[in-house]
Amino acid sequence: MNKLDSAGHTIHFETQLNPLTEILESGKYSKIFVFADGNTSQFCLPVFQEMLDDFTGFDLIETDPGEENKNIDFCIGIWKTLLDFGADRKCLMINLGGGVVTDLGGFVASTYKRGIDFINIPTTLLSQVDASVGGKTGIDIDNVKNMVGTFTLPKSVFIETKFLKTLPEREMLSGFAEMIKHGLIADKSYYEELKKGNHKEIEAQAIYTSVNIKNDVVTEDPHEKGLRKILNFGHTIGHAVETYSLINDKSPLTHGEAIAIGMVCEGFLSVSNNTLTGDELEDISNYILETYPSYQIKKESFSQLLEFMQSDKKNENGEIMFSLLNSIGSCAFNCRVAEGDILASLNYYNTLAKSPS
Amino acid sequence: MNKLDSAGHTIHFETQLNPLTEILESGKYSKIFVFADGNTSQFCLPVFQEMLDDFTGFDLIETDPGEENKNIDFCIGIWKTLLDFGADRKCLMINLGGGVVTDLGGFVASTYKRGIDFINIPTTLLSQVDASVGGKTGIDIDNVKNMVGTFTLPKSVFIETKFLKTLPEREMLSGFAEMIKHGLIADKSYYEELKKGNHKEIEAQAIYTSVNIKNDVVTEDPHEKGLRKILNFGHTIGHAVETYSLINDKSPLTHGEAIAIGMVCEGFLSVSNNTLTGDELEDISNYILETYPSYQIKKESFSQLLEFMQSDKKNENGEIMFSLLNSIGSCAFNCRVAEGDILASLNYYNTLAKSPS
């Protein structure tokens, strides 16, 4: 279980960064940059350095934490910093952090001087089970998530559960939503296992299973022409709710909290549009409602949510496209849904979230 | 001679855009965008539309002409315009213009929603013989040329000499410098032919030969790990002079004029570092000096020129790397040159340019 060969690169599990030592000592790179945010430079960088025998042979580039900083201004700042530090095409960038760091760092690396090598060390559960695989890089523009980006694979990915030790429970739950999704779209027995377990004590084996599921999907369809869209289950509505919350709520939803809401809503749509049964929907809804804090999607936000969904990348010819469950463990993509059904699904979630679970 | 199959895409020559009609009528694309600058929308767009039976089924996105606009601000503007126009992943962008339009348009297309299809229709001699092949996209940041970009191939390229009819002589000469370079680095007989001809009347056959030479090189080394660097002959010094001129001269040098100067200087370096003979250097210098207007590289600019060369993408470990001629028709890459020799080469050009040719 210590590595997984993905298209063109290797995902290393629980190796104490040993293979990274070899890479750093190979002399292949002219300079090493570590890119981190204010949190990971404080909590994860020392762990990273310790695993590498107190490694200091790098320049640190730091960004502010938070999705709102995954923007073009920070991106320009990092490009210029690399230039100021004399970064040539043979340098290596190590992205140490959550999805914001690996998305933004990956985009910067994939475009600086038309592309330098980068390695991702995801330090949150969310980024370990999600952003670690598939080569998506990106930044947000005008609050449109990942409006600009590339498909570029890191040279390697290192997944170390050691980094999760410092993670607040809410952050663990955020990543856990993607693991539930992996079970729902591709592996019923994995979903059932997750239900039995405890999201506070995630085992490395479960992370491996999630990464494996995602890897199988993206290997078959790296550029999201078809199958890969199933990974967006819960995300069409989830992203819209997340964006709205980021702009309007004092304490915004995490990605996983928003995706959890999205999975309930899109589970509802799966019943109206596909073959998901009412019992299965109830099972999913109950599990999510008891695992995640409840939230009310404001009625007055509905029209704006629809607008956000309109700019979703999966859409074609102006129609909002969904990925919906056929059953627990199987997912379809390119599903059309009437606007009225979308609104009904938001109301469905609100009704459940209001009543005590 | 009407097409050339390059890695993954086709370069069409003098087809009156017939194959493009098929692409546009295939129904494969949800929307068509034409990206042009103020000049090409005025002079080339009508020619483009006429060739396509007065085609109007597109949205026009226009930028200001000139290298100084190949920057991140215009880039952000175009990303947002695409979003405002409801561009999804299945739209097509047709870049109609010179290198600024195809570089900038290519970068926007290769990153918008992680990449949409684009087609290049280069309308200047320079972009037909240079930017048309090799999949380089890019923008300048803080006057550093192509500091940010990607290697992304257009779906097709269309080369039509009809577009050159409206081009001023100075623009023709700018592209002609790249054709001379192709002869110098790879094909002595082509160089001799160019010398016999007249740069005011470029034949489609010569453009084809140039594109063919470049295509052979980039097919062997798409990501500029080695061989492709020979295409940078004349460009290490040429780019520096071009950048300096763009910032300081009232009427800045064109790209080709700067590259012509660069080829004389780097020809000089080829004599000191390689096997190029003094007679060959004289032949090159005479030909360039009689074809291009002379220019004086100011002594007080020398240190800044060296700084610009330091940020060249070909460099490794802080050393300025050159591509230098072994002989007329053969080029080496990764050549180290002492700073004193670089300065001597600038003085060599200045001395020649002063005396009447």
Side-chain angles (χ1 to χ4, degrees):
Chain A
M1 196 206 76
N2 72 349
K3 68 179 194 169
L4 205 155
D5 285 316
S6 186
H9 73 306
T10 303
I11 305 168
H12 303 272
F13 288 85
E14 304 288 63
T15 60
Q16 295 289 314
L17 303 184
N18 281 330
L20 182 56
T21 311
E22 274 172 51
I23 294 170
L24 297 178
E25 286 173 355
S26 68
K28 197 182 151 192
Y29 293 106
S30 59
K31 251 176 196 282
I32 313 288
F33 294 93
V34 172
F35 176 56
D37 67 25
N39 292 332
T40 55
S41 72
Q42 187 182 349
F43 298 112
C44 300
L45 190 59
V47 180
F48 165 86
Q49 289 183 277
E50 200 196 323
M51 282 199 254
L52 294 172
D53 291 335
D54 300 319
F55 176 61
T56 56
F58 61 90
D59 286 310
L60 177 67
I61 301 181
E62 209 179 293
T63 183
D64 291 347
E67 178 80 25
E68 66 275 22
N69 299 309
K70 208 177 92 176
N71 61 33
I72 189 70
D73 295 325
F74 271 93
C75 189
I76 296 170
I78 308 163
W79 282 326
K80 288 187 182 178
T81 305
L82 285 170
L83 194 73
D84 289 344
F85 278 165
D88 62 25
R89 279 181 177 175
K90 289 209 161 178
C91 67
L92 172 72
M93 188 150 157
I94 299 174
N95 299 313
L96 181 72
V100 170
V101 166
T102 57
D103 281 6
L104 174 56
F107 181 65
V108 166
S110 71
T111 52
Y112 178 74
K113 298 199 177 184
R114 296 202 185 90
I116 57 174
D117 283 356
F118 64 102
I119 283 175
N120 284 347
I121 307 184
T123 59
T124 62
L125 182 59
L126 177 60
S127 59
Q128 290 190 352
V129 297
D130 191 27
S132 65
V133 206
K136 282 188 177 179
T137 78
I139 55 170
D140 308 337
I141 302 233
D142 282 354
N143 291 312
V144 181
K145 278 180 74 93
N146 299 315
M147 194 180 106
V148 163
T150 61
F151 286 103
T152 313
L153 289 169
K155 286 290 144 184
S156 319
V157 176
F158 290 87
I159 294 180
E160 300 287 329
T161 50
K162 221 178 204 180
F163 290 116
L164 305 180
K165 302 274 182 270
T166 58
L167 215 63
E169 190 192 333
R170 198 173 167 208
E171 285 302 316
M172 289 297 279
L173 260 178
S174 182
F176 194 63
E178 295 289 348
M179 299 171 79
I180 296 174
K181 183 196 76 182
H182 291 140
L184 289 176
I185 61 171
D187 187 342
K188 186 175 179 177
S189 66
Y190 177 50
Y191 169 74
E192 295 297 341
E193 260 174 58
L194 291 174
K195 270 170 53 185
K196 277 182 229 151
N198 178 351
H199 66 263
K200 288 175 201 167
E201 284 164 30
I202 306 282
E203 309 253 326
Q205 180 59 49
I207 297 176
Y208 183 83
T209 304
S210 262
V211 170
N212 212 354
I213 289 172
K214 179 158 183 184
N215 189 47
D216 283 347
V217 173
V218 302
T219 304
E220 200 169 322
D221 174 25
H223 291 122
E224 202 162 324
K225 301 286 183 199
L227 182 69
R228 187 171 176 158
K229 296 180 188 175
I230 67 170
L231 294 167
N232 287 303
F233 172 67
H235 282 62
T236 309
I237 292 178
H239 266 165
V241 171
E242 184 183 6
T243 302
Y244 181 87
S245 173
L246 198 66
I247 302 171
N248 297 285
D249 293 342
K250 264 190 193 159
S251 166
L253 292 169
T254 63
H255 177 71
E257 286 164 357
I259 287 342
I261 295 169
M263 288 193 288
V264 172
C265 297
E266 297 181 24
F268 176 88
L269 295 176
S270 302
V271 174
S272 18
N273 272 260
N274 281 272
T275 53
L276 190 74
T277 65
D279 285 352
E280 286 175 305
L281 171 62
E282 202 183 325
D283 186 282
I284 298 167
S285 300
N286 285 344
Y287 180 43
I288 287 178
L289 267 293
E290 76 198 22
T291 310
Y292 289 87
S294 54
Y295 179 82
Q296 282 296 308
I297 311 169
K298 293 196 193 75
K299 285 253 189 279
E300 59 265 32
S301 74
F302 283 12
S303 64
Q304 205 179 347
L305 292 177
L306 287 173
E307 267 175 47
F308 289 141
M309 291 176 216
Q310 284 291 353
S311 63
D312 190 278
K313 286 185 291 299
K314 292 185 305 304
N315 295 341
E316 288 176 15
N317 301 310
E319 273 192 289
I320 303 175
M321 301 295 252
F322 282 85
S323 300
L324 298 178
L325 299 179
N326 301 311
S327 63
I328 291 178
S330 165
C331 190
F333 54 89
N334 285 355
C335 307
R336 288 172 176 78
V337 171
E339 213 171 276
D341 288 341
I342 300 175
L343 300 177
S345 80
L346 300 172
N347 283 321
Y348 168 74
Y349 172 81
N350 276 346
T351 313
L352 292 182
K354 246 182 205 161
S355 55
S357 59
Chain B
M1 195 206 76
N2 73 348
K3 69 179 194 168
L4 205 155
D5 285 315
S6 186
H9 73 305
T10 303
I11 305 168
H12 302 273
F13 288 86
E14 305 287 61
T15 60
Q16 296 288 314
L17 304 183
N18 281 330
L20 182 57
T21 311
E22 274 172 53
I23 295 170
L24 297 178
E25 285 175 356
S26 69
K28 199 182 150 189
Y29 293 106
S30 59
K31 252 176 196 284
I32 313 288
F33 293 93
V34 172
F35 176 55
D37 67 25
N39 292 331
T40 55
S41 73
Q42 186 182 350
F43 297 112
C44 300
L45 190 58
V47 180
F48 165 85
Q49 289 183 278
E50 199 196 322
M51 283 200 252
L52 294 172
D53 291 334
D54 300 319
F55 176 60
T56 55
F58 62 90
D59 286 310
L60 177 66
I61 302 181
E62 209 180 291
T63 184
D64 291 347
E67 178 80 24
E68 67 276 21
N69 299 310
K70 207 177 91 175
N71 61 33
I72 189 70
D73 295 326
F74 271 94
C75 189
I76 296 170
I78 307 164
W79 282 326
K80 289 186 182 179
T81 305
L82 284 170
L83 194 72
D84 289 345
F85 279 165
D88 61 26
R89 279 180 176 174
K90 289 210 161 177
C91 67
L92 173 71
M93 188 151 157
I94 299 173
N95 298 314
L96 181 73
V100 170
V101 166
T102 56
D103 282 6
L104 174 56
F107 181 64
V108 166
S110 71
T111 52
Y112 179 74
K113 299 200 176 182
R114 297 202 183 93
I116 57 174
D117 283 357
F118 64 101
I119 283 175
N120 283 347
I121 307 183
T123 58
T124 62
L125 181 59
L126 177 59
S127 60
Q128 291 191 350
V129 297
D130 190 27
S132 64
V133 205
K136 282 187 177 180
T137 78
I139 54 170
D140 308 338
I141 303 234
D142 282 353
N143 291 312
V144 181
K145 275 179 75 93
N146 299 315
M147 195 179 105
V148 163
T150 61
F151 286 104
T152 313
L153 289 169
K155 286 290 143 183
S156 321
V157 176
F158 290 87
I159 294 181
E160 300 288 330
T161 50
K162 219 176 204 181
F163 290 116
L164 305 180
K165 303 275 181 270
T166 58
L167 216 62
E169 189 191 337
R170 201 175 165 207
E171 285 302 315
M172 289 297 279
L173 260 178
S174 183
F176 194 63
E178 296 288 348
M179 299 171 79
I180 296 174
K181 183 196 75 182
H182 291 140
L184 289 176
I185 62 172
D187 187 342
K188 187 174 178 175
S189 65
Y190 177 50
Y191 169 73
E192 296 296 342
E193 259 173 59
L194 290 176
K195 270 169 55 184
K196 276 183 229 149
N198 178 349
H199 65 263
K200 288 175 202 167
E201 284 166 30
I202 307 282
E203 309 254 328
Q205 179 60 49
I207 297 177
Y208 184 83
T209 304
S210 262
V211 170
N212 212 353
I213 289 172
K214 179 157 183 185
N215 189 46
D216 283 348
V217 173
V218 302
T219 304
E220 201 168 321
D221 174 25
H223 292 123
E224 202 161 326
K225 301 289 182 196
L227 182 69
R228 186 170 176 160
K229 296 180 188 176
I230 67 170
L231 294 167
N232 286 302
F233 171 66
H235 282 61
T236 310
I237 293 178
H239 266 166
V241 172
E242 184 183 7
T243 303
Y244 181 86
S245 173
L246 197 65
I247 302 172
N248 296 284
D249 293 341
K250 264 190 196 163
S251 167
L253 292 168
T254 64
H255 177 71
E257 285 164 356
I259 287 341
I261 294 169
M263 288 194 287
V264 172
C265 297
E266 296 181 24
F268 175 90
L269 295 175
S270 301
V271 174
S272 18
N273 272 260
N274 281 273
T275 53
L276 191 75
T277 66
D279 284 352
E280 286 175 306
L281 171 62
E282 202 183 323
D283 186 281
I284 297 167
S285 300
N286 285 345
Y287 179 43
I288 287 179
L289 266 294
E290 76 198 22
T291 310
Y292 289 87
S294 54
Y295 179 82
Q296 281 297 305
I297 310 168
K298 291 197 194 75
K299 284 253 190 278
E300 59 266 30
S301 74
F302 283 14
S303 62
Q304 206 179 348
L305 292 177
L306 287 174
E307 267 175 48
F308 288 142
M309 290 176 216
Q310 285 290 354
S311 63
D312 190 278
K313 285 185 291 299
K314 292 186 304 303
N315 295 340
E316 287 177 17
N317 300 308
E319 273 192 290
I320 303 175
M321 301 293 253
F322 283 86
S323 298
L324 298 177
L325 299 179
N326 300 311
S327 62
I328 291 178
S330 164
C331 190
F333 55 89
N334 285 356
C335 307
R336 288 172 175 77
V337 171
E339 212 171 277
D341 288 341
I342 300 176
L343 300 177
S345 79
L346 300 172
N347 283 320
Y348 167 74
Y349 172 82
N350 276 344
T351 314
L352 292 182
K354 244 179 205 158
S355 55
S357 61

